Amino acid sequence: MFEFQKLLQEAKDAFQKNFHRDPKWIVTAPGRVNVIGEHTDYNEGFVFPMAIERNVIICAAPAGPEDKIPAGMAKVFSTAKKNPALVKVSGEIHPGPRVDWFEYVQGVIAGYLAENPSVEVGPFVAVIHANVPLGAALSSSAALEVAVGTLLEAISGANVDPVRKALICQHAEHEYAKMPCGIMDQFISAMGEKDHIMLLDCRDYSTKLVPFTTPDLSILIINSRVKHQLSGSEYPERRAACFDSAKILGAKTLREVTMEQLEANKDKLTEVQYRRTRHVVGEIKRTTDAVAAIEAGNYELMGQLMYESHDSMRDDFEISCKELDILVEEAKKIGLAGGVYGSRMTGGGFGGCTVSLIQTSKMDSIMETIRKNYKAQTGIDPDLFVTRPAQGAHIVQK
Ligand code: GLA
């Protein structure tokens, strides 16, 4: 909470500095960590993410004459970027030719205006400030999109169904950020609940909130500081391979395929398609198994499934990298005796973070050991932090 208050104060100060008054509206949306269930969302499988105590905050106010903003526009500053951007708040809106940070803002505005006749937005000025690390697989872009949606709701007073909200934000990511993501990140940023991890069925968007309140356990996030860049070809390629396999196997999506069916039809797939499919089919099952384990208080089994998930992403789905493998190996070496139940890379892959389930009482020594050993092997200082499941997007002031 202290971190949030600090971030909030910084955001308000940045607004003052740029616009010489107090903001009228303040909204926030969190980043997320996925505990297990990777690359399953666009296959209509299960995911098990939680919102984290890292946020995007937007402070905004109606534009006045002193802001000198062209009609039908809003002026947006990001404290992470040099220059402000002008985005359209009315008229015809289309994606720009290049993906720039403000495209995320523009895409969500476009979606809200197109889908919600009750959303009327006049010219405004805004400052975006965040402590979700960028490109670290903690969904900084989804947090930005969902924060923008929340801002539009604060401005217009509209009540948008949160599932629609997540879908509009996902659409913005597809069209304006040109990244064909699944629904997980926008969904959990919009609908995360404090003290709960969310099992989401990406086939029908039904959810189950699993309480995570025991002070004995903590979720440790370690940023390898290797940047992940998902707008490259890898993510779309993985997605396409899954869709191709489903088609060959005569299924609508890989959600419908069992391990037995996959093995029986192995010959129909290329070796790569087979391994990609084995990851997804296995991961969907691991996710529901992990939820059952955590509900039964069987953290050892939960941890085991996290390690298996990592192996599958490394060997079958091939989305890990050397640094992430080192982080997981170091966690495994510490093992149960040292307070680590399990660990895996999280998010889209090719860099970013690992997520580990650990004993709170051993937190300091675990962090210290991994920091030291990772630095020794890679020369990189990792960024480590512990987080509780946090609240999803909400209006702070309106
Ligand atoms: C990215 C995407 C998500 C999901 C994960 C992998 O974060 O945005 O939709 O596919 O990768 O699980």
Side-chain angles (χ1 to χ4, degrees), residues 43 240-282 284:
N43 291 300
C242 293
F243 290 0
D244 289 348
S245 299
K247 205 164 163 201
I248 295 167
L249 296 171
K252 184 172 158 269
T253 64
L254 291 186
R255 168 68 179 273
E256 292 168 13
V257 177
T258 62
M259 209 48 111
E260 292 70 34
Q261 282 165 342
L262 172 63
E263 292 304 329
N265 291 283
K266 197 174 169 181
D267 298 350
K268 296 182 182 157
L269 302 174
T270 65
E271 197 266 333
V272 170
Q273 283 170 336
Y274 168 71
R275 283 190 291 113
R276 302 290 188 256
T277 308
R278 186 166 63 179
H279 165 73
V280 174
V281 173
I284 291 174

Side-chain angles (χ1 to χ4, degrees), residues 32 34 37-39 41-42 179 181-185 230 235 347-348:
R32 65 98 188 91
N34 189 21
E38 225 63 81
H39 286 260
D41 58 354
Y42 53 81
M179 151 61 181
C181 63
I183 192 64
M184 167 170 68
D185 307 347
L230 283 187
Y235 189 95

